[in-house]
Amino acid sequence: MIQNMEIKVSNVQFVTVKNVGAATGEEQRVHVRFQGIDSEKEININGYVPATVEEYETNSSMDGLSTLVKKRLIERLEA
């Protein structure tokens, strides 16, 4: 079902988060905000998925970010 969802990335936000145990104590992260709807237009999902800056740079196109969001959604739903 999620593989067939239409995912639209609405916003990309760069944030600094506290990282306990790291030398600097802070880490740059990316929040990819999205909206998704299934093919029957019955199920809506929205929110954000966290990513590293490296993941963002690797997937910086809209198609790449949509794929990253789908991957993260599947991981969370199967957990």
Side-chain angles (χ1 to χ4, degrees):
M1 175 184 77
I2 298 238
Q3 292 294 352
N4 297 328
M5 278 194 129
E6 180 183 350
I7 300 290
K8 292 184 180 180
V9 174
S10 58
N11 189 359
V12 176
Q13 182 178 26
F14 292 85
V15 298
T16 302
V17 296
K18 295 199 184 292
N19 188 0
V20 177
T24 61
E26 294 182 339
E27 179 181 14
Q28 284 295 117
R29 301 288 286 183
V30 180
H31 289 176
V32 181
R33 296 196 175 278
F34 68 93
Q35 297 174 329
I37 189 164
D38 74 328
S39 57
E40 286 86 34
K41 309 251 187 280
E42 295 173 345
I43 298 173
N44 295 301
I45 187 169
N46 64 66
Y48 77 91
V49 295
T52 64
V53 173
E54 294 81 19
E55 289 171 324
Y56 169 76
E57 290 172 348
T58 302
N59 301 288
S60 61
S61 70
M62 284 298 152
D63 287 339
L65 290 173
S66 292
T67 300
L68 178 64
V69 167
K70 285 181 184 181
K71 177 184 169 193
R72 292 289 166 81
L73 286 173
I74 291 168
E75 289 171 357
R76 293 292 291 273
L77 291 172
E78 290 181 344

